[in-house]
Amino acid sequence: MGVDISVSLSGLTLDNPVIPASGCFGYGKEFSELYDINILGSFSIKGTTKHPRFGNPTPRIAETPSGMLNAVGLQNPGIDVVATNHLAYMGRYFNKKVIANISGFSIEEFVYCAQKLDSIEQIGIIEVNISCPNVHGGGIAFGTDANSAAEVTRAVKAVTKKPIYIKLSPNVTDITEIAVACENAGADGLSLINTLLGMRIDLKKRRPLLANKTGGLSGPAVFPVALRMVYQVYEAVKIPIMGMGGISSAADVIEMMMAGASAVQIGAATLKNPYICKEIIERLPLEAERLRITNLKDIIGVAHL
Amino acid sequence: MGVDISVSLSGLTLDNPVIPASGCFGYGKEFSELYDINILGSFSIKGTTKHPRFGNPTPRIAETPSGMLNAVGLQNPGIDVVATNHLAYMGRYFNKKVIANISGFSIEEFVYCAQKLDSIEQIGIIEVNISCPNVHGGGIAFGTDANSAAEVTRAVKAVTKKPIYIKLSPNVTDITEIAVACENAGADGLSLINTLLGMRIDLKKRRPLLANKTGGLSGPAVFPVALRMVYQVYEAVKIPIMGMGGISSAADVIEMMMAGASAVQIGAATLKNPYICKEIIERLPLEAERLRITNLKDIIGVAHL
Amino acid sequence: MVVKYRILSNTHIAKDIYEMCLSGNTEKITNSGQFINIQLDGFFLRRPISVCDITDDGLIIIYKILGDGTRYMSTLSAGDKLDAVTGLGNGFDIKKSGNKPLLIGGGVGVPPLYLLAKRLIAVGKTPSVILGFGCADEVFYKESFEALGCETVVTTVDGSMGVKGFVTDAVKGFDYDYIFTCGPPLMLKAVYDKTQTDGQFSFEERMACAIGACMGCTCRTKKGYKRLCKDGPVLSREEIIWE
Amino acid sequence: MVVKYRILSNTHIAKDIYEMCLSGNTEKITNSGQFINIQLDGFFLRRPISVCDITDDGLIIIYKILGDGTRYMSTLSAGDKLDAVTGLGNGFDIKKSGNKPLLIGGGVGVPPLYLLAKRLIAVGKTPSVILGFGCADEVFYKESFEALGCETVVTTVDGSMGVKGFVTDAVKGFDYDYIFTCGPPLMLKAVYDKTQTDGQFSFEERMACAIGACMGCTCRTKKGYKRLCKDGPVLSREEIIWE
Ligand SMILES: Cc1cc2nc3c(=O)[nH]c(=O)nc-3n(C[C@H](O)[C@H](O)[C@H](O)COP(=O)(O)OP(=O)(O)OC[C@H]3O[C@@H](n4cnc5c(N)ncnc54)[C@H](O)[C@@H]3O)c2cc1C
Ligand SMILES: Cc1cc2nc3c(=O)[nH]c(=O)nc-3n(C[C@H](O)[C@H](O)[C@H](O)COP(=O)(O)OP(=O)(O)OC[C@H]3O[C@@H](n4cnc5c(N)ncnc54)[C@H](O)[C@@H]3O)c2cc1C
Ligand SMILES: Cc1cc2nc3c(=O)[nH]c(=O)nc-3n(C[C@H](O)[C@H](O)[C@H](O)COP(=O)(O)O)c2cc1C
Ligand SMILES: Cc1cc2nc3c(=O)[nH]c(=O)nc-3n(C[C@H](O)[C@H](O)[C@H](O)COP(=O)(O)O)c2cc1C
Ligand code: FES
Ligand code: FES
């Protein structure tokens, strides 16, 4: 009895591997009104950019079979406001370290954000999102080109002592190539996957349903793709992986960890059921016991043996 | 009243755009015992290779949210047996032209298959599957490299007068690049998408569930990804597209056509419900009418306007 | 707060329109104009539906069959469970109202105005009501508003009941000093243009979380970006930007 | 053929084991050992379950809660509908049987042997039966086989009922000239090794179409590749290749 569900990420020990994913938990405030979010392993804040952004026009949301599309387009108040207001205020309802998700349209913007966050005690990990469909570097998204990915990694690493996790895009021919490039450039860990590029059409209007035409697919539909990518990347790198994409149950958490994730993030499922992370954390020890797991850390990557 | 649901593909007129997808309809025989399959627009036969293949060990099938993984691995009796036995026998239960799906592990094998089929009257289109995860050309699957894709296209075009449709893989960074390469190399049309590479783990065994470890994801879960790719490719090429990936209703057919497909294929849904193509064909005129469509051909790519 | 409601009834009350009575906790629902977000088996996202009325042991919603989700809802029956996140949105602020409020609803924009009317009456400000529909078959709740004692005018586009035309064609007949309105976007814009008083407008947007976390439903206003699920769905005339 | 069955009952008969009686068309079910493929709301693939018995107006299946699909099945109740593709697989060929057939079932391999026993009795070849389970809690249908007049021995791994051990530990007590067996792969292999007579073995495999079209369930046999859904699930001893 007494399953150990704690995990660790680059020196940071988490009570459990459950982390709400960036963009699906805001800055935690709305959820903190529903339950004490200090039970979470950590959470990843909404992707922040150097400058404030409105994001894309609406509709930004569409439903798909076992999933959803979003084209929020990185709406955020900009890193300065996030650093001074949001993160400062967060202490009132969350007393653990958070993951700061940052994005940019140029290397300089990533660097600006990382620098700004470097001195903030509260931040455990900086998660560098190079996989948002809107972010471009020389015509190709940073996340779809190994050289650009490495470049961002190096630049960000140079300006902060915080552990840096690069968040990878699944919209690539070979995700291990990008993963290895990031590892070689000094990344402390990897987060994968971001959303798959998808689309829906409004049959009555005969137009793309989302104002942005395309959007990012997430939710249970993408789970097998995410799992495959975590499995492949685990074989290609030595740095820890935060696995995500479609997780919506304690069994999914265990499956993702067996594929190679040291911790997991949960996105779309928190939008469908705001209590899902709490429920999963409560369920994890039982599910582990059923599968004769006494320490969750033992199963990381176990499917490879 | 009286919606025209016929479509045409490279000179071939189909009574309707509904085509069971390769690998999900065998050679039609099992379905012909359930209903008169002559109501179909056409169907695409199981992928055929030069030599007979057993395929992968079992388990070959896994379930996923709103979808499934398969790792059949191109089990087939080889092109010679298909040409002499299966296609000959097919005339007893199917009197329309079929689509012959071929695969290969080298250019020579594709060419062998195409040559063999060139003189068979019954075959309306040769569908060249360069996107099966098992098929490699110089270390990279033909379907993930524009040059290899073009090379296969040219080689096959050179040996047959039949219309050639190249079947593309979704597991690429930029599908339009491959599509354009195939068009420039002489392809008459494109089929997309093949399956997304995915995986499941057996929690009790702590091992990949499929004997082949990874498998191809298909079914409704992939519909938004398929739709996006058809939409993108429609803008990049002038040749017709057979759209597929997750279609399971008449509304899906219309959505895929609005994205740019001239006809559609239906795979996983036929495995779940063997009557689905019949049901969709019956439903199509009603659904079209509801959306004020009088001729299905009018909506091909209409979402781009 | 997530509540597992029990369905008491699910009644077809007009063309494609159903009234569903639910039994369960309503403590988080403080204002008219708020909504609940309903989970449906086999659908990933929840469906936002306005609170039409609060009853002794639950609430009433009214919905229209628009797509697959609402069609599925119409197949549910008494005794079935319904999981919903409840008490969402700001709702109408009746304190800001003048003394002669006019409520203008179009189609399934009508339901939230019913609880609003009751709340206004409770503070002595009985509203007048305009209900707009496509045709007579689609009309619902006319009698319910009348039973509250509200002067109620129905408009139908085809003239098959009440005033022929749009809700805005009925506005001139009323003496009012404030409006509350809910309905399709084109109607809201027309009401905005054809009325001059202060007022509150309830908007619709496609939502994911509906609790203010995902930024799925943001709109620009003169007072900054607002999340229609949390800072809305009700906006005041002076803050609205039409795009 | 797709049949919409109506559930008449869904009864818990042993640990994690349910017996479900269905009313509906069974004309396509010609042999014992055939199966139906059941659609469940919220699950993409159907679940293959053996026919346990044919009744006047339908059939009986017995299933074990193994994962989410069978757990969901256990929540269904009388009156609910069940969509199934029916009459699948070759089934047992009783013409090939000797005069003293022995049926060996393990766990949820037991159900198809029940209809088989009835069919054998109908042609005057009353079989003997060995039913293997983990423990006494899991035992089902012992009395049913006895009521048919079959000599029936139960084995349990922990010895809590009948012979302690595996089905193969009970085989030596019988005089038989043919076997029919269904159960988990390890049991089938053990039966194959510990018996010498001709016989038929029913296998399980993960399936997609279950009608022979997708090649999802192929196995190698000495008579070529076979689709377990169409050319199986029953194979004869002489064609089996163990991998
Ligand atoms: C705050 C609010 C209150 C509402 N109150 C009511 C009400 O009281 N009665 C009523 O009938 N309808 C109401 N609606 C609209 C209702 O949410 C949609 O009609 C419903 O979600 C359609 O679901 P569907 O599955 O039938 O349609 P589909 O088109 O199949 O739905 C697909 C997706 O789009 C979303 N969607 C589609 N149309 C709308 C829409 N107009 N607004 C928001 N999301 C949409 C769905 O929620 C779902 O996520 C309200 C909407 C909002 C935002
Ligand atoms: C021909 C045949 C006859 C069967 N007869 C019976 C029976 O009479 N009673 C009974 O209890 N079980 C029977 N089974 C096994 C039964 O199909 C599985 O236990 C069931 O599909 C598990 O579904 P699940 O959703 O609970 O498990 P999950 O593991 O959640 O299922 C996931 C997927 O794997 C498949 N799967 C998992 N285990 C098996 C398995 N052992 N065999 C085939 N597919 C599997 C499921 O069908 C589903 O597609 C039979 C299997 C076959 C092939
Ligand atoms: C509404 C929404 C907004 C998102 N915003 C961000 C973001 O700002 N930064 C980021 O790195 N990922 C963002 N994502 C991606 C998620 O963090 C996650 O990688 C992805 O959704 C896959 O996980 P899921 O299937 O559990 O949702 C967003 C996802 C959703 C659904
Ligand atoms: C069991 C199975 C076998 C398949 N075999 C082939 C094949 O032999 N050749 C091929 O080109 N595609 C094959 N496919 C891919 C389908 O033809 C189709 O491209 C894909 O499944 C997406 O469509 P769907 O979502 O409707 O299934 C197979 C798919 C499945 C599910
Ligand atoms: S729907 Fe998530 S913020 Fe409004
Ligand atoms: S499951 Fe499709 S051939 Fe057997």
Side-chain angles (χ1 to χ4, degrees), chain D residues 47-50 62-64 66-67 69-70 108 204-206:
Chain D
R47 269 43 181 180
I49 303 285
S50 305
I62 293 178
Y63 62 93
K64 177 173 181 170
L66 191 99
T70 44
V108 285
E204 277 185 4
E205 189 48 80
R206 289 183 186 244

Side-chain angles (χ1 to χ4, degrees), chain B residues 21-23 46-47 70 74 101 129 167 193-194 218-219 244-246 267-268:
Chain B
S22 179
K46 173 68 195 165
N70 92 81
L74 290 175
N101 184 284
N129 174 15
K167 184 155 173 184
I193 59 175
N194 209 315
S218 66
M244 74 198 78

Side-chain angles (χ1 to χ4, degrees), chain D residues 206-217 227-230:
Chain D
R206 289 183 186 244
M207 296 177 174
C209 71
I211 62 168
C214 76
M215 308 295 140
C217 64
R227 298 159 299 180
L228 279 172
C229 69
K230 179 95 177 176

Side-chain angles (χ1 to χ4, degrees), chain D residues 6 22 24 26 32 50 59 93 96 111 133 150 175 183 195 236:
Chain D
R6 196 160 58 82
L22 300 171
T26 59
S32 62
S50 305
L59 61 102
D93 182 350
K96 289 198 188 135
F133 299 96
C150 302
D175 175 27
T195 59
S236 310

Side-chain angles (χ1 to χ4, degrees), chain A residues 209-239:
Chain A
L209 198 152
L210 298 173
N212 188 49
K213 290 188 184 171
T214 59
L217 177 65
S218 66
V222 309
F223 183 65
V225 174
L227 197 79
R228 182 264 296 183
M229 289 188 164
V230 167
Y231 186 92
Q232 288 179 323
V233 168
Y234 182 83
E235 298 207 332
V237 304
K238 291 195 186 58
I239 49 179

Side-chain angles (χ1 to χ4, degrees), chain B residues 175-213:
Chain B
I175 194 166
T176 63
E177 187 197 348
I178 321 263
V180 169
C182 293
E183 178 177 46
N184 291 339
D188 298 284
L190 299 168
S191 289
L192 55 135
I193 59 175
N194 209 315
T195 55
L196 279 156
L197 200 59
M199 181 171 189
R200 289 307 300 265
I201 289 168
D202 183 322
L203 295 183
K204 284 178 204 145
K205 299 197 181 130
R206 305 185 179 192
R207 290 288 170 280
L209 199 152
L210 298 173
N212 188 49
K213 291 187 185 173

